[in-house]
DNA sequence: AAGTAAGAAATTT
DNA sequence: AAATTTCTTACTT
């Protein structure tokens, strides 16, 4: 679990079980890869909680701790992002590039 | 405490 | 593309 300071500690402690799972799962998404809300929801327990996943991620805004930008729609669409869809696409592109390069 | 509304989705028609 | 389903959180009595 990533914890930078007291503020973040509190952040983690106030999480409900579902949120905890969601964050955990999202954090485990490898760099340069994307997962669908559905995928995350399934990993978090309920495959039908895809919408709730989006809600949880939107509440957090902790993009440096939880790479919510790697979570997109199963369709391939970007979905939303706290810092803007544009940023999301940008980040994804960069990560994708880095991923290919490292390989 | 109980009820209602809303949300960055998914699935089905 | 539109309507329906589904789960969790936040806000309102």
């Amino acid at each position: 679990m990533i914890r930078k300071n007291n503020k973040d500690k509190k952040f983690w402690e106030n999480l409900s079980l579902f949120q905890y799972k969601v964050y955990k799962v999202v954090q485990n998404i490898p760099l340069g890869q994307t997962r669908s809300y559905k995928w995350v929801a399934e990993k978090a327990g309920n495959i039908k909680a895809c919408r709730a996943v989006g809600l949880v991620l939107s509440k957090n805004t902790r993009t440096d701790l939880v790479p919510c930008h790697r979570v997109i729609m199963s369709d391939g669409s970007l979905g939303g992002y706290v810092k803007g869809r544009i940023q999301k696409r940008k980040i994804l592109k960069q990560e994708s590039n880095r991923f290919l390069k490292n390989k």
Side-chain angles (χ1 to χ4, degrees):
Chain A
M1 189 63 64
I2 306 173
R3 244 193 281 121
K4 277 186 182 176
N5 49 40
N6 276 346
K7 201 175 171 186
D8 288 332
K9 183 179 177 183
K10 190 179 177 185
F11 171 76
W12 287 112
E13 287 190 5
N14 280 339
L15 293 181
S16 67
L17 179 66
F18 180 71
Q19 287 182 319
Y20 180 80
K21 283 184 181 172
V22 169
Y23 291 133
K24 198 97 174 167
V25 171
V26 175
Q27 280 187 321
N28 279 331
I29 299 177
L31 180 132
Q33 297 198 20
T34 58
R35 295 288 188 270
S36 64
Y37 290 92
K38 184 182 171 184
W39 185 91
V40 176
E42 185 179 19
K43 281 284 187 189
N46 307 324
I47 196 169
K48 293 165 213 146
C50 45
R51 211 161 192 217
V53 170
L55 179 60
V56 171
L57 292 180
S58 74
K59 288 281 154 94
N60 259 317
T61 75
R62 215 65 74 145
T63 57
D64 51 328
L65 299 186
V66 180
C68 49
H69 56 265
R70 298 189 193 143
V71 184
I72 62 178
M73 302 202 224
S74 65
D75 217 6
S77 310
L78 283 181
Y81 191 49
V82 189
K83 293 208 76 181
R85 301 182 291 278
I86 307 151
Q87 277 286 7
K88 186 171 183 177
R89 190 162 55 120
K90 202 171 168 185
I91 297 174
L92 282 181
K93 198 173 178 183
Q94 279 192 8
E95 291 196 345
S96 179
N97 271 341
R98 189 156 13 142
F99 179 68
L100 293 178
K101 213 173 177 182
N102 278 348
K103 241 189 163 188

